Amino acid sequence: MASLLRCSLRSRPAARLPAARSFSGSLSRNAGAAPEHRYFPDEPQSPIVQTTVPGPKNKAAVAELSQVYDIQGLNLFTDYERSIGNYIADLDGNMFLDVYAQIASIPVGYNNPILRQAVSTPEMARALINRPAMGSFPSADWTNILKTGLLKAAPKGLNQVFTALAGSDANETAYKAAFMYRRQLERGGPHVEFSEEESMSAMLNQSPGSPYLSILSFKSAFHGRLFGTLSTTRSKPIHKLDIPAFDWPQAGFPSLKYPLEDHVKENAEEEQRSLQEVERIIKEFHNPVAAVIVEPIQSEGGDNHASPAFFQGLRAITKRNNVLFIVDEVQTGVGATGKFWAHEYWNLESPPDMVTFSKKAQTAGYYYGNNALRPNKPYRQFNTWMGDPARAILFRAILEEIERNGLVENTASTGDYLYKQLESLSKKYPLAIQNLRGKGRGTFIAWDSPNRDEILLKAKTAGVNLGGCGSHAVRLRPMLVFQKHHADLLLERLEKLF
Amino acid sequence: MASLLRCSLRSRPAARLPAARSFSGSLSRNAGAAPEHRYFPDEPQSPIVQTTVPGPKNKAAVAELSQVYDIQGLNLFTDYERSIGNYIADLDGNMFLDVYAQIASIPVGYNNPILRQAVSTPEMARALINRPAMGSFPSADWTNILKTGLLKAAPKGLNQVFTALAGSDANETAYKAAFMYRRQLERGGPHVEFSEEESMSAMLNQSPGSPYLSILSFKSAFHGRLFGTLSTTRSKPIHKLDIPAFDWPQAGFPSLKYPLEDHVKENAEEEQRSLQEVERIIKEFHNPVAAVIVEPIQSEGGDNHASPAFFQGLRAITKRNNVLFIVDEVQTGVGATGKFWAHEYWNLESPPDMVTFSKKAQTAGYYYGNNALRPNKPYRQFNTWMGDPARAILFRAILEEIERNGLVENTASTGDYLYKQLESLSKKYPLAIQNLRGKGRGTFIAWDSPNRDEILLKAKTAGVNLGGCGSHAVRLRPMLVFQKHHADLLLERLEKLF
């Protein structure tokens, strides 16, 4: 186990060091800067690339695995034993600075010793070897695990949780809750029994028992790949082709122009157009809309942002049309944007009806506050495992680690520093960094690059594991333990690439 | 940790003791029988019930949890620390003989010390704290974990696996594979590109990109509760009401008469009717059928059986109509029927196209053998986590434990013994045990009881945790470590109840 100096980043936040002194923009690292406290003291000082990428061992491993497992989406065969903190190790002895982090899902670094402690307890072993059917046989400690973990992190105004396994089924069960809620309203309340016609037609997949209701999502949205969620995902054809889909509507997501400060008026108009389209669809679409789902920042679809005013508008529209408002925080949640939940930036007057989560939480589900979102009878929102207590225990440890070390604040300040430096770089290399976005949103930063795929490949050779999204965006999705000295390493290597 | 005598059940199988000598049918236990080797020597000798059920601590715990979590489906608040082997402990000091086993999903007993060892390794800790996006960043040991675990258990003829999180998404991704396969055939092969029209219409959830294809399932089937799988689930209205569904077809599952030996001809005719309906639907249904999915024994829907001839017929029909044949072994798989996979009983000439699994496997996914079932491009069958290496490691340990101790054979022989005794009981109490079924299918046994719900409740008071299925069936779903002496305890208590 790595020795980890347990100093708090909160008490000595990395980004309090003056940002400008650190990245000189000319490849000299940290010239004159005071040394930063390192969260992972045993990390490499910088990336190590000693073979071509992929190296020979990687290639051999792929050849073997692909015999029995579809690995067409391979990025790197990974040595998780040697990976540490912000560094991901491959099979060929290379160590990459990882700003993709398992598609934005590693919260506090590889082989975090505190998490290792948390999974090496009798409590965790019990949870793993006695996996409960939680809706029927919850464990004695389940209430406590929720209260000291998932519910402690609950967004303001939402004090209940439905647990799931991943982002896809978290969203999908949220849709189910929305449909049941809507039909219950139409029926006249929770005490009105289903009609015989409803029960019989449901068994035939027909209306009224299987109603023609819909979920409204946005163009370029990504909410998952199961049949319900895929019907709301609008990111790329390759995600959707050949799969039957529900006849559900989409509205245009605002397409903002950058830099934002130079396009204030037209961006506001663009957001208004989108809001008007949402309300028109809600009023007119032939399959009535039970809920609107939106990502705070459309991630897979290209890191598309909108202003707090836009989301306040969405909340208002959904409220006045009696439609539920679901916020998909699967990728934005758990600190990545510099607040624990990205929708905190919106200062809503009333909270979303449901907030879904997964990825960095390492478990999944949705939060809600309204009791009426609980189905009126047992076994309506149900499945055998109903989530995973082992991962809920892990979430609790992650949350404690985040709080103890001020990692959300670290992400906010590191992000501010990184954004500022990228802004400078974008002026120097305006072709390589276009539409830089994510200002004031922690390290949740992206830009467009005409030769994006080439950049991602070359970044590996330079020792950086970068991710893409949309058609030509580079997205930064580092962990919450990404510090200013990591940002400097990244910036140097990016400048080399440009 | 319980001390577990590592004698092999294979070398001394419990059921080699003459069955008739053991359960006398008059509440005297094991009179004259040689003592059986006990897999869990530290289990209680018999159930312990010392409070009303639910007891006061259970009630208090429910009151607290239900503030923040929907627990309407509660059965027992469980003390997993005290649960052991075949015994489930509640919060009030009661220990029930558990023949429901977390809805058929505990394979080798509560707090199995061998599993505890398997989850207390550095390998497991690594898998838990460094959760990979496996489709892009598989771990160095992933190929080996598959080959020594999931693939070692692969059904005959199926040498590849897609890993998932639970039964629902295992089935749902199998459907996606079926749709992609079907459209690829129609398109003319894997090298034919998608048309512009397909790509554009898919983004609108419209045909041809989102095709009108269907999955054929059977009446009373249960395949999950996500939107695609719920459209194939036909168990009960309460599972389906208010949720939009695809316009997919269902065929009648054979409704066999018991005892089977008295109704050979009419049961064969009933199966033929069902097969004819399947073929007619495949030929005529307006949304073309891409795949047929079937459970070897319809479990949630009432433990409905059909003969090997019926399933051979299904395989033949699907083959000659170029439709895929998916076998859902989520509940029947991993030994519960006395073979590792229930479909082994069918002696098919060619294997199913896909076999899905979960529950006792503690992980999930689908097996396949045909390379063409792999999508032709990356990111078509994909999601962030793509299963869970931690649970795949656990599966490997479960598999080793099953093989080392001959637990499938134990389940076969214990099941034969239990069935025989239940058959005797059913003659003595013909009203209480109707349509006894599961002969020669291990401990996968059920019967109908007019006052089923009352029986389930009373069984608790008698120290047995029993499950139901269908409208009035009692289903036995014990673990693979259920031995003859447990069967005797169960039989005694059942007789008391009758």
Side-chain angles (χ1 to χ4, degrees):
Chain A
M1 187 183 291
S3 73
L4 181 65
L5 192 61
R6 303 306 313 147
C7 296
S8 170
L9 289 183
R10 186 191 291 278
S11 58
R12 293 199 286 154
R16 285 208 191 141
L17 297 176
R21 288 174 57 198
S22 205
F23 175 65
S24 73
S26 61
L27 309 188
S28 71
R29 286 181 54 233
N30 273 324
E36 185 180 39
H37 160 72
R38 287 166 183 266
Y39 183 91
F40 277 97
D42 292 343
E43 275 183 344
Q45 290 297 308
S46 64
I48 300 160
V49 182
Q50 54 193 29
T51 71
T52 53
V53 182
K57 288 184 184 165
N58 239 283
K59 286 180 185 165
V62 176
E64 191 187 1
L65 179 55
S66 64
Q67 302 282 322
V68 293
Y69 197 78
D70 179 1
I71 198 69
Q72 294 175 85
L74 184 84
N75 191 316
L76 272 185
F77 234 106
T78 305
D79 184 341
Y80 289 101
E81 194 169 353
R82 287 181 51 248
S83 299
I84 179 170
N86 293 273
Y87 286 83
I88 183 170
D90 74 1
L91 304 192
D92 292 280
N94 304 310
M95 299 280 280
F96 305 94
L97 180 66
D98 192 1
V99 291
Y100 193 32
Q102 306 299 322
I103 317 182
S105 70
I106 297 287
V108 292
Y110 293 113
N111 286 307
N112 185 304
I114 298 298
L115 294 198
R116 191 186 301 274
Q117 279 174 27
V119 302
S120 305
T121 62
E123 180 191 25
M124 177 60 89
R126 263 202 311 279
L128 286 167
I129 66 178
N130 303 307
R131 189 166 190 172
M134 272 206 295
S136 294
F137 301 91
S139 63
D141 53 2
W142 183 232
T143 310
N144 184 257
I145 290 170
L146 288 178
K147 288 192 172 175
T148 57
L150 282 172
L151 287 167
K152 202 172 156 202
K156 201 177 147 195
L158 309 183
N159 63 348
Q160 305 186 45
V161 67
F162 180 87
T163 46
L165 292 170
S168 262
D169 64 308
N171 283 334
E172 197 127 325
T173 45
Y175 298 174
K176 289 180 69 174
F179 289 128
M180 290 188 256
Y181 173 83
R182 166 67 170 242
R183 287 291 298 133
Q184 185 165 293
L185 279 188
E186 292 173 350
R187 203 176 275 119
H191 302 297
V192 182
E193 287 296 322
F194 307 115
S195 71
E196 186 61 22
E197 188 194 4
E198 284 176 313
S199 291
M200 287 182 62
S201 56
M203 296 303 283
L204 303 171
N205 291 4
Q206 288 174 6
S207 176
S210 307
Y212 291 108
L213 294 174
S214 67
I215 304 288
L216 188 159
S217 61
F218 288 90
K219 281 180 190 161
S220 303
F222 186 93
H223 300 295
R225 295 163 169 271
L226 300 167
F227 283 83
T229 47
L230 192 60
S231 294
T232 55
T233 284
R234 312 277 185 166
S235 42
K236 293 175 188 161
I238 197 72
H239 299 154
K240 292 172 69 72
L241 274 156
D242 296 348
I243 311 301
F246 287 108
D247 183 14
W248 291 354
Q250 63 177 341
F253 193 79
S255 177
L256 302 190
K257 291 195 175 156
Y258 293 87
L260 294 177
E261 51 274 26
D262 297 345
H263 302 85
V264 173
K265 185 157 171 282
E266 59 196 294
N267 284 342
E269 286 167 0
E270 167 73 1
E271 291 191 339
Q272 275 309 311
R273 271 194 299 276
S274 172
L275 289 174
Q276 283 160 10
E277 189 183 1
V278 168
E279 190 149 24
R280 186 179 54 71
I281 292 171
I282 290 175
K283 287 184 188 300
E284 296 175 7
F285 194 73
H286 50 278
N287 292 330
V289 176
V292 172
I293 184 165
V294 71
E295 298 155 274
I297 301 164
Q298 287 191 330
S299 310
E300 184 65 32
D303 266 37
N304 307 318
H305 292 249
S307 73
F310 172 76
F311 294 103
Q312 289 159 10
L314 267 187
R315 172 71 289 193
I317 289 171
T318 49
K319 258 220 176 313
R320 71 172 167 257
N321 289 281
N322 222 351
V323 157
L324 296 178
F325 182 46
I326 306 174
V327 178
D328 176 343
E329 292 248 25
V330 167
Q331 187 152 166
T332 51
V334 191
T337 68
K339 289 197 185 282
F340 200 91
W341 301 108
H343 76 268
E344 293 172 39
Y345 283 108
W346 307 341
N347 294 311
L348 295 180
E349 277 180 24
S350 64
D353 294 294
M354 289 180 267
V355 172
T356 63
F357 60 93
S358 182
K359 290 200 185 266
K360 282 192 185 58
Q362 296 284 298
T363 180
Y366 63 85
Y367 293 106
Y368 62 106
N370 182 353
N371 268 322
L373 283 171
R374 279 193 198 185
N376 63 339
K377 289 178 191 285
Y379 302 113
R380 300 194 70 192
Q381 191 75 301
F382 191 85
N383 56 69
T384 297
W385 286 329
M386 302 268 286
D388 182 349
R391 302 289 178 176
I393 291 169
L394 185 61
F395 175 84
R396 185 177 60 190
I398 291 166
L399 182 65
E400 284 169 3
E401 191 59 3
I402 288 173
E403 291 184 339
R404 191 185 303 119
N405 294 284
L407 293 181
V408 178
E409 296 81 353
N410 171 66
T411 299
S413 58
T414 305
D416 285 347
Y417 170 70
L418 178 59
Y419 185 89
K420 205 166 176 178
Q421 300 297 337
L422 283 167
E423 209 170 25
S424 304
L425 272 189
S426 74
K427 281 167 190 156
K428 209 162 157 187
Y429 307 96
L431 273 177
I433 301 188
Q434 302 174 15
N435 302 320
L436 180 68
R437 47 204 186 269
K439 186 177 185 177
R441 290 297 180 272
T443 54
F444 213 98
I445 295 171
W447 63 86
D448 294 327
S449 190
N451 56 343
R452 189 265 314 271
D453 292 342
E454 193 190 333
I455 294 281
L456 299 189
L457 274 177
K458 282 192 177 163
K460 282 277 196 332
T461 309
V464 176
N465 184 37
L466 269 181
C469 62
S471 55
H472 48 281
V474 176
R475 63 173 151 174
L476 304 183
R477 235 29 39 112
M479 308 161 192
L480 307 180
V481 293
F482 188 77
Q483 296 181 263
K484 196 157 61 65
H485 65 274
H486 301 113
D488 287 337
L489 288 167
L490 171 64
L491 289 160
E492 285 169 23
R493 276 152 187 79
L494 284 176
E495 183 163 11
K496 247 191 210 166
L497 288 178
F498 303 150
Chain B
M1 188 183 290
S3 72
L4 180 63
L5 192 61
R6 303 306 313 149
C7 296
S8 171
L9 290 182
R10 187 191 290 276
S11 59
R12 293 199 285 154
R16 286 207 191 143
L17 298 176
R21 288 173 56 198
S22 203
F23 176 65
S24 72
S26 60
L27 308 188
S28 71
R29 288 182 52 236
N30 273 323
E36 185 180 41
H37 159 72
R38 286 166 182 265
Y39 182 91
F40 276 97
D42 292 343
E43 275 182 345
Q45 291 297 307
S46 64
I48 300 160
V49 182
Q50 53 193 29
T51 72
T52 53
V53 183
K57 288 183 184 166
N58 239 284
K59 286 180 186 165
V62 176
E64 192 189 0
L65 179 56
S66 63
Q67 302 282 322
V68 293
Y69 197 78
D70 179 1
I71 198 71
Q72 294 175 86
L74 185 85
N75 190 315
L76 271 184
F77 234 105
T78 305
D79 184 341
Y80 289 101
E81 193 168 355
R82 287 181 51 250
S83 300
I84 179 170
N86 294 272
Y87 286 83
I88 184 171
D90 74 1
L91 306 192
D92 292 281
N94 303 310
M95 299 279 282
F96 306 92
L97 180 66
D98 192 0
V99 291
Y100 193 32
Q102 306 299 323
I103 317 181
S105 71
I106 297 287
V108 292
Y110 293 113
N111 286 307
N112 185 304
I114 299 297
L115 295 198
R116 191 186 300 273
Q117 279 173 27
V119 302
S120 305
T121 62
E123 179 192 26
M124 177 60 90
R126 263 201 312 279
L128 286 167
I129 66 178
N130 303 307
R131 188 168 190 173
M134 272 205 297
S136 295
F137 301 91
S139 62
D141 53 0
W142 184 233
T143 309
N144 184 257
I145 290 169
L146 288 178
K147 288 193 172 175
T148 56
L150 281 171
L151 287 167
K152 202 172 156 201
K156 201 178 147 194
L158 309 182
N159 63 347
Q160 305 186 46
V161 68
F162 180 88
T163 46
L165 291 171
S168 262
D169 64 309
N171 283 334
E172 196 126 325
T173 44
Y175 298 175
K176 288 181 69 175
F179 289 129
M180 290 189 257
Y181 173 83
R182 166 66 170 243
R183 288 292 297 133
Q184 184 166 295
L185 279 188
E186 292 173 350
R187 203 175 276 122
H191 303 297
V192 181
E193 287 297 321
F194 307 116
S195 71
E196 186 62 23
E197 189 193 5
E198 283 176 314
S199 291
M200 287 182 61
S201 56
M203 296 303 283
L204 302 172
N205 291 5
Q206 288 173 7
S207 175
S210 306
Y212 291 108
L213 294 174
S214 66
I215 303 289
L216 189 159
S217 61
F218 287 91
K219 282 180 189 161
S220 303
F222 186 93
H223 300 294
R225 293 163 170 271
L226 301 167
F227 283 82
T229 48
L230 191 61
S231 293
T232 55
T233 283
R234 313 278 185 167
S235 42
K236 292 174 187 162
I238 196 72
H239 298 153
K240 292 173 69 73
L241 273 156
D242 295 349
I243 311 300
F246 287 108
D247 182 14
W248 291 353
Q250 63 177 341
F253 193 79
S255 177
L256 302 190
K257 291 195 175 157
Y258 294 86
L260 295 177
E261 50 274 25
D262 296 346
H263 302 86
V264 173
K265 184 157 171 283
E266 60 196 295
N267 284 343
E269 287 167 0
E270 167 73 0
E271 292 190 339
Q272 275 309 311
R273 272 194 298 276
S274 173
L275 289 174
Q276 284 160 10
E277 189 183 1
V278 168
E279 190 149 26
R280 186 179 55 71
I281 291 171
I282 290 175
K283 288 184 189 299
E284 296 176 7
F285 194 72
H286 50 278
N287 292 330
V289 176
V292 172
I293 185 164
V294 71
E295 299 155 274
I297 301 164
Q298 287 192 331
S299 308
E300 184 65 31
D303 265 37
N304 307 317
H305 292 249
S307 72
F310 172 76
F311 294 103
Q312 290 158 10
L314 267 186
R315 171 72 287 192
I317 288 171
T318 48
K319 258 220 176 312
R320 72 172 168 257
N321 289 281
N322 222 351
V323 157
L324 296 177
F325 183 45
I326 306 173
V327 178
D328 177 343
E329 291 248 28
V330 167
Q331 187 152 165
T332 50
V334 191
T337 68
K339 290 198 185 279
F340 200 90
W341 301 108
H343 76 268
E344 292 172 40
Y345 284 108
W346 307 341
N347 293 311
L348 295 180
E349 279 180 21
S350 63
D353 294 293
M354 290 180 266
V355 172
T356 63
F357 60 93
S358 183
K359 289 200 186 267
K360 282 191 185 60
Q362 295 285 297
T363 181
Y366 62 85
Y367 292 107
Y368 62 107
N370 182 354
N371 268 323
L373 282 171
R374 279 193 197 185
N376 62 340
K377 290 179 190 286
Y379 302 114
R380 300 194 70 191
Q381 190 75 302
F382 191 86
N383 56 69
T384 297
W385 286 329
M386 302 268 287
D388 183 349
R391 303 289 179 178
I393 291 170
L394 184 62
F395 175 83
R396 184 177 61 190
I398 292 166
L399 181 65
E400 284 169 4
E401 191 59 3
I402 289 172
E403 290 184 340
R404 191 184 303 119
N405 293 283
L407 294 181
V408 178
E409 297 80 354
N410 170 66
T411 299
S413 58
T414 305
D416 286 347
Y417 169 71
L418 178 59
Y419 185 89
K420 206 166 177 179
Q421 299 297 338
L422 283 166
E423 208 170 25
S424 303
L425 272 189
S426 74
K427 281 166 190 155
K428 210 162 158 186
Y429 307 97
L431 272 176
I433 301 187
Q434 301 174 17
N435 302 320
L436 180 67
R437 48 205 187 268
K439 186 177 185 177
R441 290 296 180 272
T443 54
F444 214 98
I445 295 170
W447 63 86
D448 295 327
S449 189
N451 56 343
R452 190 266 314 267
D453 293 342
E454 193 190 334
I455 293 280
L456 300 188
L457 275 177
K458 281 191 177 163
K460 281 278 194 334
T461 310
V464 176
N465 184 36
L466 268 182
C469 62
S471 56
H472 47 281
V474 175
R475 63 172 151 174
L476 303 184
R477 237 26 43 111
M479 307 160 194
L480 307 179
V481 294
F482 188 76
Q483 297 180 261
K484 198 157 59 67
H485 64 274
H486 302 114
D488 287 338
L489 288 167
L490 171 64
L491 290 160
E492 284 169 21
R493 276 151 187 80
L494 285 175
E495 183 162 12
K496 247 190 208 165
L497 288 178
F498 303 149

